[in-house]
Amino acid sequence: MPLSFCIVDDDRSARRMLQHIIEDSGLGEVAGTAESGQEGVRLILEESPDIVLMDLLMPDQDGIETIRSLQAQGCKSKFVMISQIENQDMVGRAYESGIEFFIRKPINRIEVETVLRRVNERYAMSRYLDEIKSSLEKLEGLQFGGAPAIPARRTVKDAVQPILMNMGMIGESGSRDITAIMEILMEQEDAGTLPPLKELYETVAARYKESASDIAKETKAIEQRLRRALTTGLTHLASIGLTDYSHPKFEYYAPLYFDFEDVRAKMKEMDQGRESGKAKVNIRKFLQVMILELQEGLGR
């Protein structure tokens, strides 16, 4: 089922442009548009959209006030703020109100598509996690009256997935390979020492395949999947940095897991509207940083 959107902006041309981008790109369906904060509140409470695009500055009330009014009335929509303003205090207030991302004016089609695809991914993951939580609550209900459950030890996979999720990589096939590599490294006595990458790929490939020829093919496929996954992560962080350079995820993950000059190069490419889908990534650095984080997070 496609996601539903509402657009609240006093600029008629901006509303039209955003609606065209959403529908032409297959991002979802626009359930309605409004030209003021108060009209937007009525529309959103009536339509209950999945995602709301909200202008920051409007004649009657600003976007932050509108979002807080909606949340006070039980609105569960995800919010994306639209604005020409780059004042850091205002940006901080907007994030405190619960927005997901910023889209800057004048509206750039590539930026809008990139941001909304990330919001869609986050929404889908949130819904998936809610389903898991609901299932676990049902299981706990079935166990009522039995012996107290012993908390399970946190696994490598448990620790890796939130990191990949924060970098927008969780849906990539290479995320499975990253998890497998981390499991292998954490089993070693000296987990902090990274062996040659080809050796790691071959060890992971042997989990999936049996014959020597199949392992050799899978080794090459693993490297390609990792490169695609890391490219997705770098692009995701670059899009966040373009929207808000001080965003906590950008500030933490971009310089830690990637060479920052590569992140800046991708940001420049996206800002100039010449998105190539390619990026320079340092796989060894990425894996080295992750294994150190896991050692600290898992207390090993």
Side-chain angles (χ1 to χ4, degrees):
M1 183 176 177
L3 295 180
S4 59
F5 289 78
C6 278
I7 303 169
V8 183
D9 195 314
D10 63 331
D11 185 338
R12 184 180 180 185
S13 62
R15 296 197 304 272
R16 284 182 174 178
M17 187 179 297
L18 289 167
Q19 181 167 357
H20 285 316
I21 293 172
I22 290 168
E23 295 179 345
D24 292 348
S25 303
L27 292 165
E29 298 175 349
V30 176
T33 65
E35 62 181 359
S36 68
Q38 293 180 0
E39 183 186 346
V41 169
R42 290 192 294 271
L43 171 70
I44 292 160
L45 291 177
E46 180 180 333
E47 297 292 341
S48 297
D50 299 312
I51 299 169
V52 176
L53 276 63
M54 179 78 66
D55 189 19
L56 177 56
L57 297 180
M58 291 180 286
D60 57 344
Q61 62 184 33
D62 67 36
I64 296 173
E65 291 176 303
T66 305
I67 290 172
R68 286 176 175 162
S69 172
L70 285 162
Q71 291 171 336
Q73 297 178 69
C75 177
K76 300 298 182 183
S77 302
K78 303 291 185 183
F79 294 95
V80 177
M81 190 69 80
I82 312 163
S83 178
Q84 289 178 313
I85 291 180
E86 296 185 5
N87 180 281
Q88 293 302 313
D89 290 338
M90 188 69 79
V91 170
R93 283 181 57 212
Y95 276 111
E96 286 174 1
S97 72
I99 70 164
E100 300 287 315
F101 288 105
F102 254 94
I103 291 175
R104 297 172 301 169
K105 287 184 176 180
I107 291 169
N108 177 290
R109 185 184 186 94
I110 293 176
E111 180 184 5
V112 173
E113 289 182 3
T114 301
V115 169
L116 293 187
R117 289 191 196 283
R118 300 307 176 197
V119 175
N120 281 9
E121 289 172 5
R122 184 178 293 187
Y123 183 91
M125 183 56 64
S126 175
R127 189 163 51 186
Y128 173 66
L129 292 174
D130 286 343
E131 290 173 359
I132 292 176
K133 183 179 178 181
S134 176
S135 298
L136 290 174
E137 287 173 350
K138 289 178 182 177
L139 285 173
E140 288 176 0
L142 292 173
Q143 292 177 347
F144 182 77
I150 299 173
R153 185 184 182 189
R154 193 164 179 241
T155 66
V156 171
K157 185 177 181 179
D158 293 335
V160 169
Q161 286 192 329
I163 298 173
L164 298 179
M165 193 183 307
N166 284 333
M167 288 191 278
M169 298 166 57
I170 195 67
E172 294 294 315
S173 57
S175 64
R176 181 183 71 158
D177 302 312
I178 293 171
T179 302
I181 288 172
M182 291 301 112
E183 288 173 343
I184 290 166
L185 290 173
M186 290 297 285
E187 290 170 0
Q188 298 178 354
E189 288 187 11
D190 187 9
T193 302
L194 210 63
L197 292 181
K198 186 178 179 181
E199 182 181 318
L200 273 176
Y201 302 156
E202 288 173 345
T203 306
V204 174
R207 289 187 169 193
Y208 308 149
K209 306 294 180 180
E210 294 183 2
S211 70
S213 60
D214 286 343
I215 289 174
K217 290 178 183 177
E218 185 66 16
T219 297
K220 294 180 181 178
I222 288 170
E223 181 175 10
Q224 293 172 354
R225 291 197 296 265
L226 285 178
R227 200 165 293 281
R228 283 196 298 268
L230 267 63
T231 297
T232 296
L234 186 147
T235 303
H236 175 65
L237 293 171
S239 70
I240 293 177
L242 273 178
T243 307
D244 177 13
Y245 204 78
S246 63
H247 192 288
K249 287 184 181 178
F250 177 77
E251 287 188 331
Y252 183 77
Y253 290 104
L256 184 63
Y257 277 87
F258 299 94
D259 292 328
F260 200 63
E261 57 267 28
D262 298 335
V263 180
R264 290 182 62 85
K266 173 55 70 172
M267 290 170 65
K268 183 177 180 181
E269 178 185 289
M270 296 171 72
D271 192 43
Q272 294 175 350
R274 50 186 182 86
E275 177 64 59
S276 66
K278 299 179 180 179
K280 183 180 177 184
V281 293
N282 186 335
I283 297 176
R284 188 172 187 86
K285 174 182 177 177
F286 184 94
L287 297 177
Q288 184 72 67
V289 171
M290 181 170 283
I291 193 64
L292 292 174
E293 280 222 293
L294 291 187
Q295 285 180 304
E296 181 178 349
L298 295 173
R300 300 183 190 178

